[in-house]
Amino acid sequence: MPDRIVTGRCLRLPVFITLLIMGGGLCGCANLGDGAVSGAFVDPAKYDLYDCPQLDAQRKSLALRTAELQGLIEKAHRGVAGTAVAELAYRNDYIATRASAKLADETWRRNKCDQASAAQETPASEPHVAPRRSGGSGY
């Protein structure tokens, strides 16, 4: 019986150390969001062909998604094992969304867009009328 108690205590230490190392690894990833590595989550040419109204809509959408993910991460932190759940379930999506938002903002500045130009709709082109065929009865 005393052998079992000693063996059980000996097994707890490696398990505790493993959990401690895994927790430290997860905490190390927590501040990755705005670093140089976050650019790996987004194609650098993703927004190159967007005009100002499209960029404005995309920036607003990304801001909403970032806020939503931040709320989910904060909610997960309040639960049991919340840090692990937040890191595993939401962190990669959060990092990718923040990187996309950063790229959209950079493209916005590079294209010299402002709120007034983004609010204007692009002018609608005239409707295309197909040319009539000649030599037919029309029916």
Side-chain angles (χ1 to χ4, degrees), residues 66-76 78:
T66 301
E68 176 188 4
L69 288 168
Q70 184 64 38
L72 290 171
I73 289 170
E74 290 173 5
K75 183 178 178 182
R78 291 188 293 251

Side-chain angles (χ1 to χ4, degrees), residues 57-69:
Q58 190 66 26
R59 290 172 69 222
K60 289 176 183 175
S61 171
L62 289 168
L64 288 173
R65 180 69 179 149
T66 301
E68 176 188 4
L69 288 168

Side-chain angles (χ1 to χ4, degrees), residues 46-104:
K46 183 175 184 177
Y47 300 115
D48 283 353
L49 300 177
Y50 282 47
D51 60 4
C52 291
Q54 290 172 323
L55 279 171
D56 187 45
Q58 190 66 26
R59 290 172 69 222
K60 289 176 183 175
S61 171
L62 289 168
L64 288 173
R65 180 69 179 149
T66 301
E68 176 188 4
L69 288 168
Q70 184 64 38
L72 290 171
I73 289 170
E74 290 173 5
K75 183 178 178 182
H77 279 288
R78 291 188 293 251
V80 177
T83 303
V85 170
E87 293 298 319
L88 294 173
Y90 304 118
R91 183 59 64 176
N92 285 341
D93 196 19
Y94 178 75
I95 292 169
T97 304
R98 289 287 305 260
S100 290
K102 184 177 176 183
L103 182 63

